[in-house]
Amino acid sequence: MQEFSKSHDDPFAPHLAALAVFDDRGTVVGWNRRAQELLGHPAAAVIGRPASEVLVDPCDLPAVREAVASCRRADGWFGVLNVRHRDGRLVEMGLRAHPLSRGDGIREWLLAGAPTADVLEWQRDRAVLDGLYRRCPIGLVVHGPDLRLLRVNRAIERFTGVREAEFRGLPTGCFLLPDDARRAVDRVRQVMETGRPMVYSEQFVRLEWDPARERVAMVSSFPMEDPSGRILGVAEMIEDITERRRAQRRLALLDQAGSRIGTTLDVAETARELAEVMVPHLADHASVDLLQPVTRGEEPAQGLTGPVVRVGACSVGAQQAGPPHPQGEPVEFAPDTPQGRCLTEGRPVLEPVLPPDWFSMDTRQGTHAPDLSAHSLIVVPVAARGLVLGVMTLWRSRRPDPFEADDLTLAQELASRAAVSIDYARRFTQQQQTAFTLQSSLLPRAVPDQSAVEVALRYLPASAAPGLGGDWFDIIPLSGARVALVVGDVVGRGIHAAATMGRLRTAVHTLASLDLEPDEVLSRLDDLVNLLAAEQEAAGERPVGEQVVGATCLYAVYDPVSGRCSGARAGHPLPVVTAPDGQVALLDLPAGPPLGLGGLPFEARDVELAQGSLLCLYTNGLIGERHIDTDLGLAKLCAALARPADALERTCQAVVDSLVPARPTDDVALLIARTRMLPPDDVASWSLPPEPASAARARALTSAKLNEWGLEHLAFTTELIASELVTNVYRYASGPATLRLIRERCLVCEVSDSSHTSPHLRRARTTDEGGRGLFLVAQMTERWGTRYTREGKTVWTEQSLTGTLA
């Protein structure tokens, strides 16, 4: 403490400063012991000598002359200069000059000096002290040993509305209500007697002239001691935390509401839970009134007003009278009552202070106040999905403070949360059976035959939510032995989500049959989702402008010939890839917006997958459960996929066991595919120049390869197909043609060129010399079609290996 006190002493005080006296010509005429200690010059060595000769370095003479001139003009000076030590080094010192008047009329100057570091430290301490009393936003109160106030800062003035001068000499706890003042005195006395500080103690601060306003302060008290350790008083730092405490209470109420509201799928029980949460934390009385159709489990029409049923009410005190009418009895609010306006407009009503004659009007008597002593009122709509289901009314009669805007915000939030639960309960029975009926018809029942991948699938509906969700997956065989792997998730649950999922799944199949690129498929799906939203808005199912349909989707195409996988995603989680050596990584597909936003682009990316790699596609229910962090979920997923050689069904089940709880809160769709590659001997490809002889070349190459594969019985038809397709390239396209044959579950014949012109199937007239090529191709194949790439197009055909048309 002594060292602390020393550091706060004025370094220019006579007992601490180096002092020198100069005559009007700059000659040293006085020199104290402290000056000798700091600068090494004894008094005999400097007295009588000019200061510029013994104390000033020649380089510093301009600065010294400027300081002297300023001193003469202002009759004093303060600043920092270098002073020469006896050993020749320069000492930076803070200097202060004052004139001295002698009786004989001779003018002299007193120069006080101290090391610059001491001066700066003292100035900082003075600035801190000044800041505490004048600028600090935290209150400061200094109590004397007699428990009387010595000083307060300006923050206390703002906090209490009392000027600082009026506090001096008053007893500790003045201006406070007796109970609050007693606690304040006890705290100061305890610190005074024990000498131990008290940190962060909360204190209610209710002023005598404003007892209804409850404020809370955070107080830290510590003793003040002199260098000998004697206690001089107690200082307190006081911070107004009223708003922080109120915010904490509101957050605690929100947290409590989350666990107490919506524990059942019963409309009336949920309404009662809402009323009970409000009392006594926010209101003295609370009631919840719902429209009659809602109490019957029906959905009210948009803008519906009419009779309501009181299904929940709560009041403070066992002796408090209940509502003026029995719960369950239909009543109707007058249009100009707060409840009537809230039902009609769907907007909250805040009446902070009710005038004394507020209840005198006949219509106001229908507001069903618990008693006429109520002085403040809040009415908020109980609304979900844009529909007003009812109103919640809050009253204050015992608590003196009125409702504030923050209370209204909290009431709206709680009513909004409860409305979701009420609406959820209302819709539960209505939608449950319908949604589950759709489940079996909307998801794929079996994995289609294809050679590209081995697949394991899981669909796990949420057990904690009613109805069918919008998650789905698909495996779609494509031309050229390729396969499309799809996983999607429609926002929401129930009939709308299930129906939307079915339409999107059908659309994906249609788009896949067109052999579009993954990014193009998602763009078309995005258009469809926007169309569905527009249809629902036009049908009045949602307010115009509100997004009613949304979905995420991941679309990937794997080619077992090249081993390449092309994928794109729309707001969907990244897929996970496990290499044959067990290395697991996220497949870095470009992020795309969820379906339904409209106008934003999607981007596809190609990657190479080795044979035997695992490709895992899933919906966010797998890693987005509330009880698990997303990063932790991905880590568990990667760990479960780290053994690619295991049986695929066993790996799939390991993922489910590791990540999916017994009662999942969200639907889970999981698709794991193990990649295969066609043997090189089952693929043949040739490049043919754009000339008439290429058709004959195509027939010869086709015949030779089919003989090699033991498919001589397909030689005639395949030669004709290849010849016709190559001839079309020569006639209608430019550049070389690429002929490719693939032997897998069927015989695939493909001809590619650099043109994007679509081939057209037509029936030729008897007089036409051409136009029968594609018609013959269509008659001799099981399937045929065209797919487009960035480089051009490919016309493909498929034939049964047995040589018979299905």
Side-chain angles (χ1 to χ4, degrees):
M1 181 61 73
Q2 291 178 353
E3 293 179 357
F4 178 81
S5 299
K6 282 185 177 181
S7 67
H8 288 70
D9 288 341
D10 185 353
F12 294 111
H15 65 287
L16 295 177
L19 301 177
V21 180
F22 301 89
D23 63 15
D24 209 34
R25 293 174 297 176
T27 302
V28 181
V29 296
W31 191 258
N32 75 342
R33 183 182 299 275
R34 180 61 174 162
Q36 179 176 339
E37 293 174 356
L38 290 177
L39 299 174
H41 300 284
V46 294
I47 291 178
R49 299 178 62 184
S52 59
E53 177 184 318
V54 65
L55 299 176
V56 180
D57 187 89
C59 295
D60 296 322
L61 280 175
V64 171
R65 291 192 183 101
E66 183 180 347
V68 170
S70 176
C71 182
R72 292 181 183 277
R73 286 193 305 269
D75 218 20
W77 179 82
F78 171 76
V80 177
L81 288 174
N82 290 325
V83 181
R84 188 164 59 187
H85 194 273
R86 184 180 183 184
D87 59 11
R89 59 188 171 90
L90 297 179
V91 179
E92 188 180 58
M93 298 186 67
L95 301 172
R96 180 182 291 171
H98 296 284
L100 294 176
S101 297
R102 290 174 45 176
D104 53 6
I106 298 177
R107 193 180 193 188
E108 293 180 340
W109 300 87
L110 174 65
L111 191 66
T116 304
D118 293 347
V119 175
L120 292 177
E121 183 177 3
W122 175 70
Q123 288 181 323
R124 284 195 295 267
D125 293 343
R126 289 290 299 271
V128 169
L129 190 60
D130 180 72
L132 285 175
Y133 280 104
R134 296 180 181 274
R135 299 174 181 82
C136 180
I138 298 176
L140 175 64
V141 179
V142 180
H143 307 267
D146 57 353
L147 296 183
R148 289 188 175 274
L149 299 177
L150 299 178
R151 190 174 180 183
V152 300
N153 68 349
R154 290 182 178 176
I156 295 296
E157 291 184 357
R158 294 189 294 269
F159 188 64
T160 62
V162 181
R163 295 182 61 185
E164 184 267 342
E166 299 180 30
F167 279 94
R168 294 182 181 179
L170 294 177
T172 296
C174 61
F175 305 134
L176 298 180
L177 292 181
D179 289 344
D180 297 343
R182 184 172 55 254
R183 283 190 288 269
V185 171
D186 291 343
R187 181 180 59 254
V188 174
R189 180 178 289 114
Q190 181 179 347
V191 174
M192 193 91 68
E193 293 173 353
T194 63
R196 293 192 298 268
M198 295 181 63
V199 181
Y200 299 144
S201 60
E202 290 190 2
Q203 166 80 57
F204 284 102
V205 182
R206 292 171 295 180
L207 301 177
E208 289 180 339
W209 57 83
D210 192 12
R213 184 180 180 187
E214 181 182 271
R215 288 185 284 189
V216 185
M218 183 74 73
V219 184
S220 294
S221 309
F222 56 92
M224 299 183 298
E225 301 176 353
D226 64 9
S228 65
R230 181 169 60 94
I231 294 180
L232 303 176
V234 172
E236 291 188 315
M237 305 295 292
I238 302 175
E239 181 181 4
D240 185 359
I241 61 169
T242 305
E243 293 303 321
R244 187 191 311 170
R245 170 60 75 86
R246 289 177 180 173
Q248 290 173 347
R249 290 176 179 173
R250 293 184 180 109
L251 288 175
L253 185 56
L254 285 173
D255 182 65
Q256 182 184 19
S259 60
R260 290 185 57 185
I261 298 176
T263 59
T264 66
L265 290 173
D266 181 85
V267 172
E269 180 62 26
T270 304
R272 285 192 291 271
E273 291 169 347
L274 174 61
E276 291 170 358
V277 164
M278 294 295 176
V279 178
H281 304 289
L282 188 61
D284 296 324
H285 318 277
S287 60
V288 180
D289 304 287
L290 299 179
L291 293 168
Q292 272 190 315
V294 177
T295 62
R296 297 192 296 262
E298 302 171 5
E299 181 169 313
Q302 182 75 29
L304 174 67
T305 59
V308 298
V309 178
R310 178 152 296 178
V311 291
C314 186
S315 297
V316 294
Q319 72 279 10
Q320 178 65 42
H325 63 280
Q327 295 189 34
E329 179 183 338
V331 295
E332 191 159 354
F333 293 116
D336 60 343
T337 61
Q339 290 89 341
R341 297 201 311 270
C342 185
L343 277 174
T344 303
E345 302 174 4
R347 298 180 180 178
V349 176
L350 170 62
E351 297 284 354
V353 179
L354 301 177
D357 60 346
W358 195 84
F359 293 98
S360 61
M361 296 180 59
D362 292 339
T363 56
R364 299 277 170 79
Q365 295 175 6
T367 57
H368 308 295
D371 58 62
L372 298 183
S373 64
H375 61 82
S376 192
L377 166 70
I378 281 178
V379 183
V380 295
V382 179
R385 300 179 296 109
L387 297 176
V388 177
L389 309 178
V391 294
M392 178 179 67
T393 307
L394 305 179
W395 303 86
R396 279 186 181 173
S397 57
R398 294 190 174 188
R399 296 176 58 171
D401 51 317
F403 286 118
E404 300 177 348
D406 288 341
D407 298 320
L408 178 64
T409 301
L410 178 60
Q412 286 182 274
E413 175 65 23
L414 292 172
S416 177
R417 293 188 182 190
V420 174
S421 298
I422 291 171
D423 189 58
Y424 198 13
R426 180 193 61 76
R427 297 161 56 197
F428 174 71
T429 303
Q430 180 184 13
Q431 292 189 359
Q432 188 178 32
Q433 293 301 325
T434 305
F436 279 115
T437 302
L438 292 175
Q439 184 172 11
S440 60
S441 61
L442 293 179
L443 293 172
R445 300 184 179 182
V447 178
D449 291 338
Q450 43 81 37
S451 304
V453 292
E454 176 191 359
V455 179
L457 305 169
R458 292 290 188 278
Y459 178 81
L460 304 170
S463 58
L468 178 66
D471 295 22
W472 92 93
F473 47 70
D474 250 319
I475 304 95
I476 307 173
L478 302 177
S479 64
R482 299 170 304 132
V483 65
L485 306 175
V486 190
V487 170
D489 185 0
V490 176
V491 174
R493 299 189 59 80
I495 295 176
H496 288 296
T500 301
M501 179 263 282
R503 297 176 75 173
L504 292 181
R505 180 170 178 253
T506 301
V508 170
H509 274 265
T510 303
L511 296 172
S513 67
L514 298 177
D515 270 326
L516 300 177
E517 295 290 330
D519 53 343
E520 183 66 20
V521 170
L522 294 184
S523 295
R524 302 289 180 86
L525 282 181
D526 186 54
D527 294 338
L528 175 60
V529 170
N530 284 303
L531 177 62
L532 296 179
E535 290 178 354
Q536 291 191 12
E537 289 178 350
E541 298 180 6
R542 295 290 192 281
V544 176
E546 178 181 336
Q547 184 177 349
V548 294
V549 179
T552 67
C553 184
L554 192 152
Y555 187 90
V557 175
Y558 174 68
D559 186 351
V561 177
S562 65
R564 298 190 65 81
C565 179
S566 177
R569 62 190 180 107
H572 206 80
L574 289 169
V576 178
V577 174
T578 305
D581 61 0
Q583 294 293 322
V584 184
L586 294 176
L587 185 58
D588 187 18
L589 296 182
L595 301 176
L597 296 184
L600 299 176
F602 301 93
E603 183 180 352
R605 180 167 293 170
D606 293 349
V607 294
E608 291 188 5
L609 299 179
Q611 181 170 337
S613 299
L614 297 185
L615 180 62
C616 178
L617 282 63
Y618 54 90
T619 55
N620 60 4
L622 184 68
I623 61 172
E625 284 282 343
R626 295 177 183 175
H627 72 284
I628 189 172
D629 179 74
T630 301
D631 292 338
L632 179 59
L634 284 173
K636 288 187 175 182
L637 176 60
C638 292
L641 295 171
R643 299 172 61 88
D646 289 352
L648 203 56
E649 284 295 329
R650 185 189 306 169
T651 301
C652 192
Q653 189 59 43
V655 171
V656 172
D657 294 342
S658 175
L659 289 161
V660 182
R663 295 179 60 82
T665 60
D666 193 7
D667 294 346
V668 176
L670 174 64
L671 185 156
I672 303 179
R674 177 180 282 123
T675 60
R676 299 167 175 160
M677 292 193 68
L678 294 182
D681 293 343
D682 289 342
V683 181
S685 179
W686 305 276
S687 179
L688 302 174
E691 57 186 31
S694 293
R697 175 67 175 161
R699 289 193 297 271
L701 293 172
T702 299
S703 177
K705 180 54 68 175
L706 293 182
N707 288 335
E708 179 184 337
W709 284 345
L711 299 175
E712 298 87 348
H713 55 287
L714 297 177
F716 176 76
T717 57
T718 309
E719 286 180 27
L720 180 59
I721 292 168
S723 176
E724 289 294 338
L725 296 182
V726 171
T727 300
N728 281 344
V729 172
Y730 168 70
R731 288 180 176 178
Y732 306 112
S734 60
T738 300
L739 172 63
R740 185 169 74 164
L741 298 178
I742 302 174
R743 178 182 63 176
E744 46 133 13
R745 297 176 182 271
C746 60
L747 178 62
V748 178
C749 178
E750 297 179 345
V751 175
S752 304
D753 60 69
S754 59
S755 170
H756 287 86
T757 303
S758 174
H760 180 60
L761 177 65
R762 64 185 180 89
R763 185 177 297 275
R765 292 172 296 183
T766 56
T767 57
D768 290 342
E769 296 183 1
R772 299 175 179 83
L774 283 181
F775 179 79
L776 293 176
V777 169
Q779 299 303 310
M780 292 185 292
T781 59
E782 289 188 334
R783 292 198 311 155
W784 76 281
T786 306
R787 67 174 181 267
Y788 295 90
T789 64
R790 295 178 178 83
E791 294 78 22
K793 71 173 182 297
T794 298
V795 182
W796 55 269
T797 65
E798 292 182 359
Q799 303 173 75
S800 171
L801 296 180
T802 62
T804 59
L805 294 178

